[in-house]
Amino acid sequence: LCIDDISSAGFENFSVDLIYGSPLLSDDELIKNLEVIVGKKVPHISCYALTVEPKTILDHQIKKRLSQNVSSEKQSRQFLLVMDHLRNAGYEHYEISNFALPGFRSRHNSSYWKGLPYYGFGPSAHSFNGNDVRKWNLNNNALYAKNILNNEPCAVSETLSSSEKWNEFVMISIRTIEGISIERSEREFGRNLTENLLQESRQWISGGKMLNTKNCLVLTDEGKLFADGIAASLFA
């Protein structure tokens, strides 16, 4: 296995991507994959539901009825299996798609989820000033290099509006184990938006999809199945 090669080469900090919800992946096969990952003591795991992209081979096969389509019910069931299995094995479910053994959270991606500033270097790389300005470099390698040599702009930027900043705060925070901080919401966005947040969240709390714990709004396992929709309901 590649995992064995990585470990034998001396790497102690690495990550594995796991795709679930594939039409051909049974629950038993998924559990076997998880058992291999846990048995190898992989320190970090990113888990994603299969997405059928347009004009791919799988998309073509589904349209021609040569393959089963993706089932949302199956994806939900398998995500619950993943969460249960990895948590029981000692992994921290610190972001909706990411699990880590203690001390092995992704430092790079955590900057995104915390809204911290970061710099991107090279074609297509993105940068953020930690407040309201986002930049992304040109995605054409030749043009990117040419503009640098000619001292011309090699990036495009945008300034986020107040509502865009709020929506991003909600969308990113709700995916994390810490959830949406009520204290941070009021400090950075004011009382009105925070009161609306608390009001709109009541339906999800009463429905068992969210908890208000330690002054933070945190998704339950069931709520994680509807994370995008719940986040959208809390947007400005």
Side-chain angles (χ1 to χ4, degrees), residues 179-205:
I180 303 173
S181 168
I182 305 302
E183 185 275 331
R184 181 184 170 191
S185 170
E186 188 163 358
R187 183 180 71 249
E188 296 185 11
F189 298 97
R191 187 61 190 168
N192 288 340
L193 277 174
T194 303
E195 287 181 348
N196 183 69
L197 170 69
L198 293 171
Q199 175 67 31
E200 292 297 325
S201 66
R202 289 175 184 170
Q203 61 177 313
W204 305 115
I205 293 172

Side-chain angles (χ1 to χ4, degrees), residues 28-44:
D28 287 341
E29 289 171 326
L30 173 62
I31 291 174
K32 288 180 181 178
N33 289 337
L34 290 167
E35 288 175 345
V36 169
I37 292 171
V38 170
K40 299 293 183 180
K41 294 182 172 59
V42 174
H44 188 278

Side-chain angles (χ1 to χ4, degrees), residues 14-20 34 37 42-49 79 82 86 91 93-100 104 106 109 113:
F14 58 93
S15 183
V16 164
D17 282 4
L18 176 69
I19 304 296
Y20 61 88
L34 290 167
I37 292 171
V42 174
H44 188 278
I45 308 161
S46 295
C47 302
Y48 306 104
F79 186 38
V82 168
L86 291 180
Y91 286 82
H93 191 186
Y94 72 101
E95 196 272 343
I96 202 163
S97 298
N98 290 275
F99 301 78
F104 285 95
S106 171
N109 288 350
W113 303 322

Side-chain angles (χ1 to χ4, degrees), residues 105 109-117 172-173 176 178 184:
R105 288 191 185 191
N109 288 350
S110 292
S111 296
Y112 303 151
W113 303 322
K114 293 177 181 178
L116 299 176
I172 294 174
S173 299
T176 67
E178 291 82 12
R184 181 184 170 191

